[in-house]
Structure formats: structure tokens, C-alpha cells
Amino acid sequence: MAHYFSSSPDSDAKRTPIRVELADRDVDVVTAAGVFSPGHVDLGTRQLLRAATELPERGLFVDVGCGWGPIALDMALRRPQARVVAVDVNERALELTRENAQHLGATNLEAMTPEEAASLGDIDVIRSNPPIRIGKQALHELLAAWLPRLSVDGVAELVVSKNLGADSLAAWIGAELGLACEKLASRKGFRILRLTRGASSAG
């Protein structure tokens, strides 16, 4: 069985319409099998969106591991003057995100692979429900590739299940990546982590 973090899922690509709440409004989107949480906005993502701090009016915002796009779409709809980039290794996820952005008029949203996103400059906001189930080493490599790309005043907000190592991950981020890590919220079995370039990492 293909995982949602496969680059080319071989499951049925038939689109399924669902109605969800994003950017404080009810919207219609499409999903499909072979991507993360195809039937709804998953619980972790919902907690992240509820606890997230206010976005800047402009800047480069990136959703790492976008799935069908809920986090990226929420940011794009809230801040139409920002550039929002949704990143995923899963081509179907990128296709769905593009379709949903077009349907919702989020013309400021782009969806691309990590390779395509490699040339992006400093990132002002990273929001992610990272793919914990890819394994600890792969997860660490993923976060090490993205979190250091924060701008000097940039902020990253991640949601991680407490049962899947949120606290140990927070400690690793501080020790290995040199980022200041704050527990923004703890709810429904999830930690919301807020990461910034503290004094130790800004120089």
C-alpha cells in the first residue's frame, strides 16, 4: 500500500468534494485517496490553525508537507498579499492543492516539490503538521532542511502529537538547530511548537 508520503500514489485518484472550515469560513475543496487525511482537516492540523499566532500582512509563508492544502490555503486566504508556497513530495497532493487554490481564488498560493522550492529565499513563516511517521531520522533531516531557512524575524509553528515524541522533538530542535522553542499550546493530545531564531542562532 502506498503511503501518503509516496511521490506517486497508485491508489484511486478520484476527487472527493468535502466542506471544511478554513480562514474562519466554510469552503468547498476536493481531496482524494493517497494523500494525508483525505476525508477532513485532521485533528492535529485543526489544533495548529486554532492556536497559531497572527500572520504578518506580507512575506514568504511555507507549508511543509501540505497534503491537499489546508494549512497553505488557510494562510493564503488570510493574507492575500503574502506569497504562500505549499511543499510536498506527493505529486497528487500538489495537484489537489493547486485545484483547491484555483477554486478558492487563492492566486497567491503555489504548490511545488522540495526540489522546486530549494531556490526560495529566507522564509518568514513556516507552518507544518510534519510527517512524523516517516521515521525519526527522516523527520530530523526534513526539519533540518527547512527550519534554518527562517528569516531573522521568522516564525515556525509545528503541531506534533505528544504520544509521538513532541517533547523530545522540541528538545532536539533546540539542541541541534539552535532555535528557540516555545510550547504555544497543548490540546487534544498535541503540542503546538513555536520556533524562532533566538539570540544563539541569529548570529
Side-chain angles (χ1 to χ4, degrees):
M1 180 181 295
H3 295 285
Y4 62 83
F5 43 83
S6 300
S7 59
S8 300
D10 56 10
S11 52
D12 186 0
K14 180 182 178 181
R15 284 2 184 199
T16 301
I18 61 173
R19 192 163 180 81
V20 298
E21 181 182 341
L22 296 173
D24 301 323
R25 69 187 93 164
D26 290 332
V27 297
D28 295 311
V29 297
V30 293
T31 67
V35 301
F36 177 65
S37 190
H40 60 285
V41 179
D42 69 283
L43 181 58
T45 295
R46 292 205 304 272
Q47 303 316 309
L48 172 61
L49 295 179
R50 289 171 183 167
T53 55
E54 187 172 358
L55 292 163
E57 290 295 324
R58 297 176 177 82
L60 173 59
F61 306 166
V62 177
D63 172 7
V64 179
C66 64
W68 54 261
I71 295 173
L73 291 165
D74 184 88
M75 292 193 293
L77 293 171
R78 289 182 186 278
R79 294 293 185 264
Q81 297 182 72
R83 181 188 183 190
V84 179
V85 176
V87 179
D88 209 295
V89 298
N90 185 323
E91 291 289 352
R92 185 177 299 168
L94 298 178
E95 292 171 5
L96 290 165
T97 299
R98 294 184 189 110
E99 291 175 27
N100 288 326
Q102 181 177 16
H103 172 70
L104 297 175
T107 57
N108 59 327
L109 193 159
E110 307 162 65
M112 56 183 72
T113 65
E115 292 75 20
E116 292 168 333
S119 61
L120 294 175
D122 290 347
I123 302 169
D124 299 295
V125 175
I126 294 174
R127 281 189 181 165
S128 177
N129 184 349
I132 299 297
R133 296 187 185 281
I134 63 176
K136 181 182 289 187
Q137 180 176 344
L139 177 65
H140 286 179
E141 291 173 357
L142 174 71
L143 296 179
W146 284 100
L147 295 179
R149 298 173 66 178
L150 283 174
S151 62
V152 172
D153 298 318
V155 175
E157 292 173 344
L158 313 178
V159 59
V160 184
S161 169
K162 288 188 285 188
N163 292 336
L164 293 178
D167 292 338
S168 61
L169 182 63
W172 177 84
I173 290 171
E176 297 298 324
L177 302 184
L179 297 177
C181 184
E182 169 193 359
K183 294 186 181 80
L184 189 62
S186 183
R187 54 177 71 180
K188 303 288 187 181
F190 292 91
R191 297 263 200 242
I192 312 301
L193 306 178
R194 184 177 188 271
L195 314 170
T196 55
R197 295 187 61 181
S200 63
S201 60

